[in-house]
Short mmCIF file of all heavy atoms in Angstrom, two decimals:
data_model
loop_
_atom_site.label_atom_id
_atom_site.label_comp_id
_atom_site.label_asym_id
_atom_site.label_seq_id
_atom_site.Cartn_x
_atom_site.Cartn_y
_atom_site.Cartn_z
N LEU A 1224 9.49 8.67 -7.56
CA LEU A 1224 9.32 8.51 -6.12
C LEU A 1224 8.84 7.08 -5.88
O LEU A 1224 7.85 6.65 -6.47
CB LEU A 1224 8.29 9.51 -5.59
CG LEU A 1224 7.97 9.42 -4.10
CD1 LEU A 1224 9.20 9.80 -3.26
CD2 LEU A 1224 6.79 10.33 -3.76
N TYR A 1225 9.56 6.34 -5.04
CA TYR A 1225 9.24 4.95 -4.76
C TYR A 1225 8.71 4.84 -3.33
O TYR A 1225 9.41 5.18 -2.38
CB TYR A 1225 10.48 4.07 -4.93
CG TYR A 1225 11.04 4.14 -6.33
CD1 TYR A 1225 12.04 5.05 -6.66
CD2 TYR A 1225 10.54 3.32 -7.33
CE1 TYR A 1225 12.53 5.15 -7.95
CE2 TYR A 1225 11.04 3.40 -8.63
CZ TYR A 1225 12.02 4.31 -8.93
OH TYR A 1225 12.51 4.40 -10.21
N LEU A 1226 7.48 4.40 -3.21
CA LEU A 1226 6.85 4.18 -1.91
C LEU A 1226 6.93 2.68 -1.65
O LEU A 1226 6.19 1.88 -2.25
CB LEU A 1226 5.40 4.67 -1.93
CG LEU A 1226 5.27 6.17 -2.16
CD1 LEU A 1226 4.84 6.45 -3.59
CD2 LEU A 1226 4.33 6.78 -1.18
N ILE A 1227 7.86 2.29 -0.79
CA ILE A 1227 8.20 0.88 -0.62
C ILE A 1227 7.53 0.33 0.64
O ILE A 1227 7.66 0.89 1.72
CB ILE A 1227 9.73 0.72 -0.53
CG1 ILE A 1227 10.38 1.34 -1.77
CG2 ILE A 1227 10.11 -0.75 -0.36
CD1 ILE A 1227 11.88 1.52 -1.68
N HIS A 1228 6.82 -0.77 0.43
CA HIS A 1228 6.15 -1.49 1.52
C HIS A 1228 6.81 -2.86 1.62
O HIS A 1228 6.89 -3.58 0.62
CB HIS A 1228 4.66 -1.66 1.21
CG HIS A 1228 3.94 -0.36 1.06
ND1 HIS A 1228 3.16 0.16 2.06
CD2 HIS A 1228 3.87 0.53 0.04
CE1 HIS A 1228 2.63 1.30 1.66
NE2 HIS A 1228 3.06 1.55 0.44
N VAL A 1229 7.25 -3.23 2.82
CA VAL A 1229 8.02 -4.46 2.99
C VAL A 1229 7.28 -5.41 3.92
O VAL A 1229 6.72 -4.99 4.94
CB VAL A 1229 9.42 -4.15 3.60
CG1 VAL A 1229 10.24 -5.42 3.75
CG2 VAL A 1229 10.15 -3.13 2.75
N LYS A 1230 7.30 -6.70 3.58
CA LYS A 1230 6.71 -7.72 4.44
C LYS A 1230 7.57 -8.96 4.38
O LYS A 1230 8.11 -9.32 3.34
CB LYS A 1230 5.29 -8.03 3.98
CG LYS A 1230 4.45 -8.81 4.96
CD LYS A 1230 4.22 -8.12 6.28
CE LYS A 1230 3.06 -7.17 6.25
NZ LYS A 1230 2.85 -6.42 7.45
N SER A 1231 7.70 -9.61 5.50
CA SER A 1231 8.44 -10.86 5.60
C SER A 1231 7.45 -12.01 5.44
O SER A 1231 6.43 -12.06 6.13
CB SER A 1231 9.14 -10.94 6.95
OG SER A 1231 9.86 -12.14 7.07
N GLY A 1232 7.72 -12.90 4.51
CA GLY A 1232 6.88 -14.08 4.31
C GLY A 1232 5.87 -13.87 3.19
O GLY A 1232 5.46 -12.75 2.90
N PHE A 1233 5.51 -14.98 2.57
CA PHE A 1233 4.53 -14.95 1.48
C PHE A 1233 3.38 -15.85 1.89
O PHE A 1233 3.31 -17.01 1.53
CB PHE A 1233 5.17 -15.42 0.17
CG PHE A 1233 4.30 -15.20 -1.03
CD1 PHE A 1233 4.31 -13.97 -1.67
CD2 PHE A 1233 3.48 -16.19 -1.52
CE1 PHE A 1233 3.52 -13.75 -2.78
CE2 PHE A 1233 2.68 -15.98 -2.63
CZ PHE A 1233 2.70 -14.76 -3.27
N GLY A 1234 2.52 -15.30 2.73
CA GLY A 1234 1.38 -16.07 3.23
C GLY A 1234 0.24 -15.14 3.55
O GLY A 1234 0.00 -14.16 2.84
N ASN A 1235 -0.46 -15.41 4.64
CA ASN A 1235 -1.63 -14.61 5.03
C ASN A 1235 -1.30 -13.14 5.23
O ASN A 1235 -2.15 -12.28 5.05
CB ASN A 1235 -2.26 -15.17 6.31
CG ASN A 1235 -2.88 -16.52 6.07
OD1 ASN A 1235 -3.15 -16.91 4.94
ND2 ASN A 1235 -3.12 -17.24 7.14
N THR A 1236 -0.05 -12.84 5.63
CA THR A 1236 0.33 -11.44 5.85
C THR A 1236 0.30 -10.61 4.57
O THR A 1236 0.24 -9.39 4.63
CB THR A 1236 1.73 -11.34 6.49
OG1 THR A 1236 2.67 -11.98 5.63
CG2 THR A 1236 1.77 -11.98 7.86
N MET A 1237 0.33 -11.27 3.42
CA MET A 1237 0.26 -10.55 2.14
C MET A 1237 -1.07 -9.82 2.00
O MET A 1237 -1.14 -8.76 1.40
CB MET A 1237 0.45 -11.52 0.98
CG MET A 1237 1.88 -11.99 0.81
SD MET A 1237 3.03 -10.64 0.55
CE MET A 1237 2.39 -9.98 -0.96
N ARG A 1238 -2.11 -10.39 2.57
CA ARG A 1238 -3.42 -9.73 2.52
C ARG A 1238 -3.34 -8.37 3.22
O ARG A 1238 -3.83 -7.37 2.71
CB ARG A 1238 -4.47 -10.62 3.18
CG ARG A 1238 -5.85 -10.06 3.16
CD ARG A 1238 -6.90 -11.00 3.72
NE ARG A 1238 -6.37 -12.01 4.61
CZ ARG A 1238 -6.94 -13.18 4.82
NH1 ARG A 1238 -8.06 -13.49 4.21
NH2 ARG A 1238 -6.42 -14.04 5.66
N ASP A 1239 -2.67 -8.34 4.38
CA ASP A 1239 -2.49 -7.08 5.11
C ASP A 1239 -1.65 -6.09 4.33
O ASP A 1239 -1.97 -4.90 4.25
CB ASP A 1239 -1.85 -7.32 6.48
CG ASP A 1239 -2.70 -8.19 7.38
OD1 ASP A 1239 -3.94 -8.20 7.21
OD2 ASP A 1239 -2.13 -8.85 8.26
N LEU A 1240 -0.56 -6.56 3.75
CA LEU A 1240 0.33 -5.69 2.99
C LEU A 1240 -0.38 -5.12 1.77
O LEU A 1240 -0.27 -3.93 1.47
CB LEU A 1240 1.59 -6.44 2.57
CG LEU A 1240 2.62 -5.63 1.79
CD1 LEU A 1240 3.12 -4.44 2.59
CD2 LEU A 1240 3.78 -6.51 1.38
N CYS A 1241 -1.12 -5.96 1.07
CA CYS A 1241 -1.84 -5.49 -0.11
C CYS A 1241 -2.89 -4.45 0.28
O CYS A 1241 -3.06 -3.45 -0.42
CB CYS A 1241 -2.49 -6.67 -0.84
SG CYS A 1241 -1.29 -7.73 -1.68
N ALA A 1242 -3.57 -4.67 1.40
CA ALA A 1242 -4.55 -3.69 1.88
C ALA A 1242 -3.86 -2.38 2.24
O ALA A 1242 -4.35 -1.28 1.93
CB ALA A 1242 -5.31 -4.24 3.08
N GLN A 1243 -2.70 -2.46 2.87
CA GLN A 1243 -1.94 -1.26 3.25
C GLN A 1243 -1.56 -0.46 2.01
O GLN A 1243 -1.70 0.77 1.99
CB GLN A 1243 -0.70 -1.67 4.03
CG GLN A 1243 0.14 -0.51 4.49
CD GLN A 1243 1.43 -0.96 5.18
OE1 GLN A 1243 1.80 -2.13 5.15
NE2 GLN A 1243 2.10 -0.04 5.81
N ILE A 1244 -1.09 -1.11 0.97
CA ILE A 1244 -0.71 -0.42 -0.26
C ILE A 1244 -1.94 0.21 -0.92
O ILE A 1244 -1.90 1.36 -1.36
CB ILE A 1244 0.02 -1.38 -1.22
CG1 ILE A 1244 1.37 -1.78 -0.63
CG2 ILE A 1244 0.19 -0.74 -2.61
CD1 ILE A 1244 2.07 -2.89 -1.39
N SER A 1245 -3.03 -0.53 -0.96
CA SER A 1245 -4.26 -0.02 -1.55
C SER A 1245 -4.75 1.23 -0.82
O SER A 1245 -5.10 2.24 -1.46
CB SER A 1245 -5.34 -1.11 -1.50
OG SER A 1245 -6.58 -0.60 -1.90
N ILE A 1246 -4.77 1.19 0.48
CA ILE A 1246 -5.21 2.34 1.27
C ILE A 1246 -4.29 3.54 1.04
O ILE A 1246 -4.75 4.67 0.83
CB ILE A 1246 -5.29 1.97 2.77
CG1 ILE A 1246 -6.43 0.98 3.00
CG2 ILE A 1246 -5.45 3.21 3.64
CD1 ILE A 1246 -6.39 0.29 4.36
N SER A 1247 -3.00 3.30 1.05
CA SER A 1247 -2.02 4.37 0.83
C SER A 1247 -2.19 4.99 -0.55
O SER A 1247 -2.22 6.22 -0.69
CB SER A 1247 -0.61 3.80 1.00
OG SER A 1247 0.36 4.75 0.68
N ALA A 1248 -2.30 4.16 -1.57
CA ALA A 1248 -2.43 4.66 -2.94
C ALA A 1248 -3.73 5.45 -3.11
O ALA A 1248 -3.72 6.54 -3.69
CB ALA A 1248 -2.38 3.50 -3.93
N ASN A 1249 -4.82 4.92 -2.59
CA ASN A 1249 -6.10 5.62 -2.70
C ASN A 1249 -6.07 6.95 -1.95
O ASN A 1249 -6.62 7.95 -2.42
CB ASN A 1249 -7.24 4.74 -2.20
CG ASN A 1249 -7.70 3.77 -3.28
OD1 ASN A 1249 -8.24 4.17 -4.30
ND2 ASN A 1249 -7.48 2.49 -3.05
N ARG A 1250 -5.41 6.98 -0.81
CA ARG A 1250 -5.33 8.23 -0.04
C ARG A 1250 -4.51 9.28 -0.78
O ARG A 1250 -4.85 10.46 -0.77
CB ARG A 1250 -4.76 7.95 1.36
CG ARG A 1250 -4.77 9.18 2.27
CD ARG A 1250 -6.21 9.66 2.50
NE ARG A 1250 -6.24 10.90 3.26
CZ ARG A 1250 -6.29 12.11 2.73
NH1 ARG A 1250 -6.29 12.28 1.42
NH2 ARG A 1250 -6.33 13.18 3.51
N LEU A 1251 -3.44 8.84 -1.43
CA LEU A 1251 -2.64 9.80 -2.21
C LEU A 1251 -3.41 10.31 -3.43
O LEU A 1251 -3.28 11.48 -3.79
CB LEU A 1251 -1.31 9.18 -2.64
CG LEU A 1251 -0.21 9.18 -1.60
CD1 LEU A 1251 1.08 8.60 -2.18
CD2 LEU A 1251 0.05 10.57 -1.05
N VAL A 1252 -4.20 9.45 -4.05
CA VAL A 1252 -5.03 9.89 -5.18
C VAL A 1252 -6.02 10.94 -4.70
O VAL A 1252 -6.19 11.99 -5.33
CB VAL A 1252 -5.75 8.69 -5.84
CG1 VAL A 1252 -6.84 9.16 -6.80
CG2 VAL A 1252 -4.75 7.81 -6.57
N GLN A 1253 -6.66 10.70 -3.56
CA GLN A 1253 -7.59 11.68 -2.98
C GLN A 1253 -6.86 12.98 -2.64
O GLN A 1253 -7.38 14.07 -2.87
CB GLN A 1253 -8.22 11.15 -1.69
CG GLN A 1253 -9.22 10.06 -1.88
CD GLN A 1253 -9.68 9.51 -0.53
OE1 GLN A 1253 -9.08 9.79 0.52
NE2 GLN A 1253 -10.74 8.73 -0.55
N ASP A 1254 -5.67 12.85 -2.09
CA ASP A 1254 -4.88 14.00 -1.67
C ASP A 1254 -4.53 14.90 -2.85
O ASP A 1254 -4.53 16.12 -2.74
CB ASP A 1254 -3.62 13.52 -0.96
CG ASP A 1254 -3.01 14.56 -0.04
OD1 ASP A 1254 -3.77 15.29 0.63
OD2 ASP A 1254 -1.78 14.63 0.04
N ARG A 1255 -4.25 14.29 -3.97
CA ARG A 1255 -3.88 15.04 -5.17
C ARG A 1255 -5.09 15.83 -5.71
O ARG A 1255 -4.94 16.93 -6.22
CB ARG A 1255 -3.35 14.09 -6.24
CG ARG A 1255 -2.82 14.80 -7.48
CD ARG A 1255 -2.30 13.84 -8.52
NE ARG A 1255 -3.40 13.07 -9.07
CZ ARG A 1255 -3.41 11.74 -9.21
NH1 ARG A 1255 -2.38 11.02 -8.84
NH2 ARG A 1255 -4.44 11.12 -9.72
N LYS A 1256 -6.28 15.25 -5.56
CA LYS A 1256 -7.50 15.89 -6.09
C LYS A 1256 -8.08 16.91 -5.13
O LYS A 1256 -8.91 17.73 -5.53
CB LYS A 1256 -8.55 14.82 -6.38
CG LYS A 1256 -8.17 13.88 -7.50
CD LYS A 1256 -9.22 12.82 -7.69
CE LYS A 1256 -8.83 11.85 -8.80
NZ LYS A 1256 -9.84 10.78 -8.94
#
């Protein structure tokens, strides 16, 4: 299963995208437990 997060540009917006992935991954880990 591929959870794909897309962002245009490689700059300050990467901070937001990385945070979004982190939150999503942590929430799924919690959900599984």
